[in-house]
Amino acid sequence: MQKLLIKNIGALVQARPKSSKWIAGKEMATVPIIQDAWLAIENGIIADYGTMEEWTGISDWTGLEVIDANEGFVFPAWCDSHTHLVYATSREGEFVDRIKGLSYEEIAARGGGILNSSQKLRLATEDELYESACKRLDEVISLGTGAIEIKTGYGLDMESELKMLRVIRRLKERGPIRIKATFLGAHAVPVEFKNDKEGYIRLLIEEMMPAIAAEKLADYCDVFCERNYFTEEESICILEAGKKHGMIPKVHANQLSCSGGVQAGVKTGAISVDHLEYVGEAEIAALKNSDTMPTLLPGAAYFLGLPWPPARQLIDAGLPVAVASDMNPGSCPSGNMVQMMSLLCVTHKMTPEEAINAGTINSAYAMGLQETHGSITPGYVANLVITKPMPSLAYLMYAFGSNLIESVIVNGKKV
Ligand code: NIG
Ligand code: FE
């Protein structure tokens, strides 16, 4: 048996004896913390924890590895429930175009944006995509990500969407962290269907989905519900078809306008609706009494200069809120979850505790992993972030330019 003991933990954060579905409303303001703690791990699974003061010592030291946290904090590793980590090339040219005054939508209308990435991805081989994705995955793991969702959506034809899904399957097999795959064929209408969106939707539903289901390549189905992309009705139709093929709905919702994306998500029982820059009373009312997780992507809002989503209104309405990176070459070339949580505090006026709940338990829910990831709970996967010594929890988000991560543990092993 592999045994690991972490001792002298300055603060053990998000330690909960039992699993929670999610943390909502006022509850988000609190994160359970045990000061001066120890944590025991067996075969990559969290076994037990307590305070150093009450520690009775160890009866059997055989094969035991000990890590001294030296008063650093220990967090559950972050869960990143929304990324586009598989892509062919970066798009800093568009970044410069935006600095010079073009908007994200204007760049897309000229054939840039998602269609630019699609052109490049179609030319890349599966091996090339896999190699570059491995590097990005290793980088975000070193930044503390312990579970990740990855979308397609740069293929936009049968062959290239399947190529992306096979890359994601190889990443799942490679590990070491849990990965969920999302089919985002409805990310944009490809050039060859420019004047025939209906025809493209038929291709998605009648040909791509059955092929994906036959190989069980996707856990989720996502749609970019937005003006000039897919309407609320089209989104519902695509997501319902995905459900018939065993894919749970997710939505890119209300990023650039009041698109009906939140409503489409709630109506189809989506596990999450993501972005939410343009939401008001109607969307908040729709989310209440639903099982759909409102997920904020502050990196994309920051990078594109979009209005901040009304995070406070969502929380004050009693809703849960999750955070993810949206890592992609266009709207957020960062997969750094600490940076995302720091943005939540500075720009969305969420407290550090709310940000931690958003990036751990709630983002685990948004990718169906709340029974195994996102908190320090006996029986959960031992994916952890050990920090350098810090004066407080808030310091992690306050010191936004410092890398405070000392080490990352995945499945009970240092990576
Ligand atoms: O989540 N908005 C749609 N999709 C991505 C961006 C994709 C891209 O620009 O490549 C997003 O922001
Ligand atoms: Fe996205």
Side-chain angles (χ1 to χ4, degrees):
M1 186 189 303
Q2 181 238 358
K3 288 192 277 184
L4 173 67
L5 173 75
I6 308 178
K7 63 173 189 177
N8 297 327
I9 299 170
L12 184 64
V13 184
Q14 201 64 293
R16 296 183 188 253
K18 289 205 175 68
S19 61
S20 341
K21 175 184 175 184
W22 61 31
I23 311 293
K26 286 194 180 74
E27 305 286 309
M28 283 193 73
T30 312
V31 176
I33 292 184
I34 300 174
Q35 309 282 349
D36 200 19
W38 58 268
L39 174 65
I41 293 155
E42 286 177 3
N43 289 335
I45 301 293
I46 292 167
D48 204 359
Y49 55 76
T51 61
M52 289 300 288
E53 207 178 37
E54 291 158 0
W55 191 35
T56 49
I58 288 181
S59 47
D60 180 10
W61 286 83
T62 343
L64 181 75
E65 186 193 342
V66 181
I67 294 179
D68 191 335
N70 287 319
E71 300 309 318
F73 281 44
V74 171
F75 292 85
W78 329 122
C79 295
D80 193 350
S81 60
H82 180 143
T83 82
H84 310 248
L85 179 131
V86 175
Y87 58 83
T89 55
S90 59
R91 299 201 326 244
E92 61 275 25
E94 295 178 5
F95 168 60
V96 176
D97 289 342
R98 281 203 311 281
I99 295 169
K100 292 184 178 160
L102 284 182
S103 73
Y104 182 68
E105 282 181 286
E106 284 163 343
I107 291 167
R110 292 175 167 196
I114 297 165
L115 294 184
N116 176 2
S117 279
S118 171
Q119 211 181 13
K120 306 278 170 24
L121 186 127
R122 288 176 177 187
L123 297 172
T125 66
E126 189 185 305
D127 284 344
E128 284 165 349
L129 292 171
Y130 175 72
E131 295 302 330
S132 61
C134 281
K135 288 195 188 120
R136 284 178 213 124
L137 186 59
D138 287 339
E139 184 192 6
V140 297
I141 292 171
S142 75
L143 294 168
T145 295
I148 197 166
E149 180 262 15
I150 308 175
K151 300 175 195 297
T152 69
Y154 293 132
L156 309 181
D157 64 24
M158 173 77 103
E159 186 193 330
S160 313
E161 284 292 307
L162 285 175
K163 180 168 69 178
M164 290 191 81
L165 284 164
R166 292 196 180 111
V167 170
I168 301 171
R169 181 170 63 191
R170 280 170 72 180
L171 295 170
K172 281 188 180 192
E173 287 162 3
R174 183 201 90 130
I177 64 171
R178 271 298 291 276
I179 296 175
K180 292 281 182 130
T182 299
F183 172 53
L184 178 56
H187 199 191
V189 178
V191 261
E192 60 277 18
F193 282 92
K194 200 172 163 211
N195 300 312
D196 183 18
K197 185 159 53 157
E198 260 180 49
Y200 183 59
I201 295 176
R202 270 202 307 278
L203 176 72
L204 290 173
I205 296 176
E206 292 169 17
E207 295 182 40
M208 292 198 209
M209 285 184 187
I212 292 163
E215 288 188 58
K216 291 197 171 52
L217 287 168
D219 304 291
Y220 301 110
C221 177
D222 196 343
V223 178
F224 188 16
C225 182
E226 192 53 69
R227 62 183 174 210
N228 300 325
Y229 292 85
F230 297 91
T231 65
E232 180 180 342
E233 291 69 35
E234 289 163 347
S235 300
I236 291 175
C237 169
I238 295 163
L239 295 170
E240 286 296 344
K243 272 159 70 174
K244 292 201 183 99
H245 289 96
M247 298 176 236
I248 297 164
K250 271 182 168 274
V251 189
H252 276 72
N254 303 52
Q255 181 186 19
L256 308 171
S257 65
C258 270
S259 63
V262 170
Q263 284 81 354
V266 171
K267 282 182 199 152
T268 55
I271 193 165
S272 75
V273 286
D274 306 15
H275 279 295
L276 313 181
E277 279 75 2
Y278 289 85
V279 306
E281 292 302 325
E283 285 77 16
I284 291 175
L287 283 163
K288 279 196 189 173
N289 305 317
S290 81
D291 284 324
T292 301
M293 176 62 71
T295 300
L296 307 177
L297 309 173
Y302 163 76
F303 200 66
L304 298 183
L306 301 176
W308 310 123
R312 283 257 58 88
Q313 269 167 267
L314 292 163
I315 295 171
D316 293 346
L319 292 168
V321 162
V323 64
S325 75
D326 198 17
M327 185 189 201
N328 76 77
S331 66
C332 187
S334 165
N336 184 334
M337 284 292 285
V338 175
Q339 206 172 48
M340 301 305 144
M341 292 188 285
S342 184
L343 276 172
L344 284 188
C345 299
V346 177
T347 60
H348 295 45
K349 305 297 171 207
M350 285 172 61
T351 65
E353 288 79 7
E354 288 170 336
I356 291 292
N357 281 319
T360 56
I361 295 192
N362 287 353
S363 47
Y365 177 91
M367 53 196 298
L369 292 179
Q370 73 277 15
E371 297 290 333
T372 49
H373 292 68
S375 65
I376 296 186
T377 301
Y380 273 40
V381 175
N383 289 357
L384 311 163
V385 171
I386 306 180
T387 72
K388 301 190 170 94
M390 305 192 295
S392 65
L393 175 90
Y395 191 81
L396 184 69
M397 278 130 277
Y398 156 87
F400 73 95
S402 308
N403 181 8
L404 293 162
I405 297 180
E406 176 66 35
S407 54
V408 175
I409 309 278
V410 172
N411 302 320
K413 293 192 188 87
K414 231 185 212 184
V415 291

